[in-house]
């Protein structure tokens, strides 16, 4: 690849990722200095294409970045009016009253939003300030300087043949050089993963923990719609098989976001997260809500859950990690977009100060300090024990201890439990198949629940077949020789898009990768027990194309 000639462009700051963190950084940079040259590179076909709509947004990040966002028409149209928490059993549920909940769990003042639309609006604000926003520009490689610093990225490469060689329509892409490169790729981004390993940014920190979040958008009977209602559940159907829970958000236009999260540190390799989600919709409470409605979109995404203990060093020579690329989700609140925005703003301020001082290519130490000592650090630190308590003691004990810990943090500003460390990686947590019973899942009925391939069609994902597979095996023999006999090859089940199959042939089983189905959740990169799968960025614009809702 080094002998390929590419054109280049130079910028003050190159930002990878058109999500809330990257766009916040771009906006703040231009607010501070209108003459700075700033570019945002987004791998989706448009900003928001890879963001499945549906979140409860704490507007504190937007307040800090664009205080007059309401006057500017930000698409925050549905304030939260009602909060519900349920503990589910198979046939019913118990509503947990709101009063014992720590104040941080209160959604008053928050909004049910389409983050895809919020990001599209943010991109418009950035462009009005003079930021160059390039969608469909996947960043396939980092460019390093002589001193080992990150000095740019290669973006917009198209036309490689399935074997990786340049095809007849090959376009080499461009090198975009930046005095600083900010990585806002989201969870488990390929470039972020590379710099974390190269500069050993996780040294001294717990391994990152993850969940798999799956989501459907439904249009429901208007008589059942309660705009502004937020409902979270725990318990059935996961039980003791895995940690996790659900969310149901009523936004405008009779639409409901129905989501389900499975913590990826589960042991039983027979667990099938997608089918747990489909089974959840048959709970009487959920089934009654969705009856007579229709699903209009589906998608999935990994969620960073390690929080404070797993937050790596945020800076490296020539750049920094933003938002979920580092892991800034507040797990009990199921919120990370506010911290993503705050991190982008903080990184921009550190980069602006460095540029004003004539610096380039060094570490933005001011950003690290701003995150750990500011609002983001406070937000993550006060909930830091919730996830490890759940992992170590299960749901019921963690509810009591986690709630107590959050209350003491709120009232006393400290934790009586100290800081509980996370254990092994989610991949290493996977147990051997022989030690667990297979789980019998009911067949989807095609009305409330759906098979994976049917649902994947509602993600509108697309990958050109005549390109290299972006899901790369370090050793192609491992799925059949190791993972199948030892773990019943869990890739068949943990992937929420049906990408991986074990097919029986005349010569025995073989492993097949249907990369065209991939919705870019990156669960395979995280959960594969042999750590044999490497998710890389496909050609620009490819992947899911979630509807503009």
């Amino acid at each position: 690849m080094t002998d390929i000639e590419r054109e280049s462009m130079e910028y003050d700051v190159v930002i990878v990722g058109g999500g809330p963190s990257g766009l916040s950084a771009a906006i703040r940079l231009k607010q501070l200095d209108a003459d700075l040259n700033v570019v945002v590179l987004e791998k989706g076909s448009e900003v928001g294409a890879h963001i499945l709509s549906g979140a409860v947004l704490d507007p504190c990040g937007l307040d800090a970045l664009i205080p007059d966002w309401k006057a500017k028409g930000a698409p925050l149209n549905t304030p939260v009016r009602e909060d519900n928490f349920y503990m589910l059993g198979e046939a019913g549920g118990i509503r947990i009253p709101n009063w014992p909940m720590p104040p941080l769990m209160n959604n008053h003042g928050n909004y049910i939003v389409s983050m895809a639309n919020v990001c599209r609006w943010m991109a418009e604000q950035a462009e009005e300030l003079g930021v160059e926003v390039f969608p469909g520009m996947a960043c396939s490689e980092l460019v390093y300087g002589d001193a080992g610093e990150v000095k740019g990225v290669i973006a917009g490469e198209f036309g490689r043949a399935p074997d990786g060689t340049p095809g007849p329509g090959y376009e080499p892409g461009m090198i975009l050089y930046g005095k600083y490169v900010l990585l806002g790729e989201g969870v488990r981004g390929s470039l972020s993963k590379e710099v974390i390993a190269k500069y050993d940014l996780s040294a001294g920190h717990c391994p990152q923990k993850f969940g798999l979040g799956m989501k459907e958008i439904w249009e429901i009977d208007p008589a059942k719609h309660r705009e502004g209602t937020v409902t979270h559940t725990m318990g059935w159907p996961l039980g003791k098989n895995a940690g996790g829970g659900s969310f149901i958000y009523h936004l405008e236009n009779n639409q409901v976001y129905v989501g389900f999260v499975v913590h990826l540190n589960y042991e039983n390799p027979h667990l099938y997260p997608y089918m747990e989600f489909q089974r959840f919709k048959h709970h009487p409470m959920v089934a009654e809500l969705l009856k007579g409605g229709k699903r209009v979109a589906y998608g999935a995404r990994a969620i960073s859950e390690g929080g404070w203990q797993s937050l790596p060093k945020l800076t490296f020579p020539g750049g920094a990690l933003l938002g979920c690329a580092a892991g800034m989700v507040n797990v009990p609140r199921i919120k990370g977009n506010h911290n993503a925005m705050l991190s982008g703003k903080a990184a921009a301020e550190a980069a602006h100060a460095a540029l004003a001082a004539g610096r380039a290519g060094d570490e933005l130490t001011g950003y690290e300090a701003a995150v750990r000592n500011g609002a983001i650090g406070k937000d993550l630190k006060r909930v830091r024990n919730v996830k490890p308590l759940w992992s170590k003691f299960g749901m019921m004990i963690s509810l009591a201890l986690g709630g107590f810990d959050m209350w003491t943090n709120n009232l006393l500003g400290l934790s009586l439990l100290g800081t509980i460390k996370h254990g092994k990686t989610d991949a290493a947590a996977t147990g051997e198949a022989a030690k667990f019973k297979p789980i019998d899942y009911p067949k989807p009925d095609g009305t409330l629940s759906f098979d994976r391939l049917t649902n994947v069609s509602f993600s509108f994902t697309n990958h050109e077949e005549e390109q290299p597979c972006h899901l790369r095996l370090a050793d192609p023999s491992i799925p059949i020789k190791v993972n199948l006999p030892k773990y019943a090859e869990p890739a068949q089940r943990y992937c929420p898009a049906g990408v991986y199959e074990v097919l029986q042939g005349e010569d025995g089983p073989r492993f097949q990768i249907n990369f065209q189905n991939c919705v870019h959740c990156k669960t395979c990169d995280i959960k594969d027990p042999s750590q044999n799968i490497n998710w890389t960025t496909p050609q620009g614009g490819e992947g899911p194309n979630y509807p503009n809702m």
Side-chain angles (χ1 to χ4, degrees):
M1 292 187 184
T2 56
D3 59 347
I4 295 174
E5 293 187 6
R6 294 183 170 93
E7 295 181 3
S8 65
M9 296 180 68
E10 295 191 6
Y11 291 87
D12 291 307
V13 181
V14 173
I15 300 171
V16 180
S21 65
L23 290 168
S24 295
I27 290 168
R28 186 59 178 155
L29 281 163
K30 296 294 279 188
Q31 287 174 339
L32 292 168
D33 186 346
D35 293 328
L36 289 177
N37 294 317
V38 180
V39 64
V40 174
L41 304 168
E42 165 57 39
K43 68 183 175 70
S45 59
E46 64 171 334
V47 171
H50 289 179
I51 301 175
L52 180 63
S53 299
V56 173
L57 178 65
D58 180 340
C60 65
L62 209 51
D63 289 339
L65 183 69
I66 308 175
D68 58 343
W69 55 264
K70 287 185 180 180
K72 289 181 178 293
L76 279 67
N77 304 319
T78 309
V80 175
R81 296 188 174 95
E82 181 182 349
D83 255 332
N84 298 307
F85 298 88
Y86 284 91
M87 183 70 66
L88 297 186
E90 185 170 0
I94 299 172
R95 186 169 186 264
I96 302 171
N98 291 47
W99 61 264
M101 296 287 179
L104 65 91
M105 298 297 288
N106 187 346
N107 277 306
H108 178 74
N110 298 331
Y111 293 82
I112 301 171
V113 300
S114 158
M115 278 310 298
N117 286 341
V118 171
C119 287
R120 292 182 181 106
W121 176 83
M122 291 179 70
E124 292 173 359
Q125 306 309 301
E127 288 179 319
E128 288 179 7
L129 292 170
V131 176
E132 296 182 37
V133 180
F134 295 152
M137 290 285 279
C139 297
S140 53
E141 296 180 53
L142 290 167
V143 178
Y144 295 96
D146 295 337
E149 80 280 13
V150 173
K151 61 184 294 186
V153 298
I154 296 173
E157 186 180 42
F158 294 92
R160 286 192 178 272
D163 63 359
T165 60
Y170 177 69
E171 298 178 21
M174 298 183 66
I175 300 176
L176 292 95
Y177 291 110
K179 295 173 184 175
Y180 294 100
V181 176
L182 306 181
L183 301 180
E185 301 172 287
V187 177
R188 201 73 164 193
S190 55
L191 302 186
S192 304
K193 181 181 172 184
E194 180 178 328
V195 299
I196 290 171
K198 179 178 176 65
Y199 300 109
D200 199 17
L201 302 183
S202 289
H205 304 279
C206 290
Q208 187 59 263
K209 308 295 287 183
F210 298 93
L212 170 59
M214 297 158 285
K215 191 183 302 178
E216 294 172 356
I217 303 176
W218 281 71
E219 292 178 357
I220 65 169
D221 181 348
K224 302 175 184 178
H225 186 253
R226 303 191 308 279
E227 185 173 312
T229 297
V230 168
T231 299
H232 292 99
T233 78
M234 293 179 290
W236 190 87
L238 289 173
K240 296 181 179 180
N241 285 327
S246 83
F247 56 89
I248 302 173
Y249 303 152
H250 292 243
L251 67 160
E252 64 259 49
N253 300 322
N254 299 316
Q255 288 193 334
V256 173
Y257 300 133
V258 182
F260 197 80
V261 177
V262 177
H263 300 169
L264 288 177
N265 62 345
Y266 62 82
E267 294 181 328
N268 186 347
H270 300 294
L271 187 80
Y272 195 160
Y274 174 83
M275 289 307 299
E276 296 286 352
F277 175 30
Q278 298 307 301
R279 183 160 63 168
F280 160 75
K281 291 182 292 177
H282 286 273
H283 187 276
M285 183 180 78
V286 185
E288 178 58 30
L289 174 68
L290 301 181
K291 184 180 178 181
K294 65 176 181 178
R295 162 225 41 194
V296 296
Y298 165 75
R301 184 70 46 148
I303 304 167
S304 60
E305 296 186 338
W308 177 254
Q309 297 91 318
S310 301
L311 201 64
K313 182 181 177 184
L314 302 174
T315 63
F316 50 87
L321 301 170
L322 311 182
C324 283
M328 297 183 183
V329 171
N330 182 315
V331 172
R333 296 184 76 199
I334 321 179
K335 291 179 180 65
N337 289 308
H338 64 300
N339 284 338
M341 293 178 183
L342 291 172
S343 75
K345 178 176 179 288
E349 291 167 353
H352 171 258
L355 292 167
R359 293 161 45 197
D362 60 352
E363 296 204 25
L364 298 171
T365 54
Y367 169 58
E368 184 92 28
V371 169
R372 295 191 183 276
N373 300 325
I376 298 172
K378 180 180 179 181
D379 188 52
L380 297 180
K381 201 169 183 180
R382 62 183 177 173
V383 300
R384 64 190 181 277
N385 290 325
V386 173
K387 168 65 175 174
L389 281 169
W390 195 328
S391 299
K392 292 177 186 295
F393 301 114
M395 180 179 64
M396 296 306 295
I397 292 177
S398 71
L399 276 177
L401 287 179
F404 169 77
D405 194 54
M406 285 190 284
W407 267 111
T408 58
N409 270 284
N410 180 72
L411 297 174
L412 305 176
L414 56 86
S415 171
L416 300 180
L417 302 179
T419 298
I420 303 172
K421 293 185 177 181
H422 295 296
K424 59 188 74 171
T425 67
D426 293 334
T430 310
E432 296 184 14
K435 297 179 180 179
F436 298 90
K437 292 182 179 181
I439 303 172
D440 183 24
Y441 291 98
K443 184 178 179 180
D445 67 357
T447 302
L448 285 177
S449 52
F450 313 96
D451 65 83
R452 273 188 303 191
L453 293 185
T454 298
N455 236 2
V456 166
S457 70
F458 281 79
S459 72
F460 308 100
T461 195
N462 179 65
H463 297 84
E464 174 60 48
E465 294 187 23
E466 293 303 313
Q467 67 171 295
C469 176
H470 64 280
L471 303 161
R472 300 174 185 173
L473 303 180
D475 182 345
S477 71
I478 281 180
I480 299 303
K481 288 187 177 181
V482 178
N483 284 358
L484 185 60
K486 192 172 182 179
Y487 304 105
E489 186 44 273
Q492 303 173 89
R493 293 173 293 281
Y494 61 58
C495 173
V499 169
Y500 302 100
E501 292 182 283
V502 174
L503 302 178
Q504 296 295 328
E506 294 181 0
D507 299 325
R510 63 182 179 87
F511 191 63
Q512 179 163 304
I513 301 176
N514 306 305
F515 73 87
Q516 298 89 346
N517 294 354
C518 181
V519 294
H520 298 195
C521 73
K522 304 168 191 168
T523 301
C524 54
D525 194 300
I526 296 163
K527 186 60 177 173
D528 177 54
S530 298
Q531 286 295 273
N532 188 50
I533 301 173
N534 186 34
W535 187 96
T536 62
T537 306
Q539 292 182 162
E542 303 208 339
N545 285 278
Y546 296 128
N548 187 357
M549 294 180 177

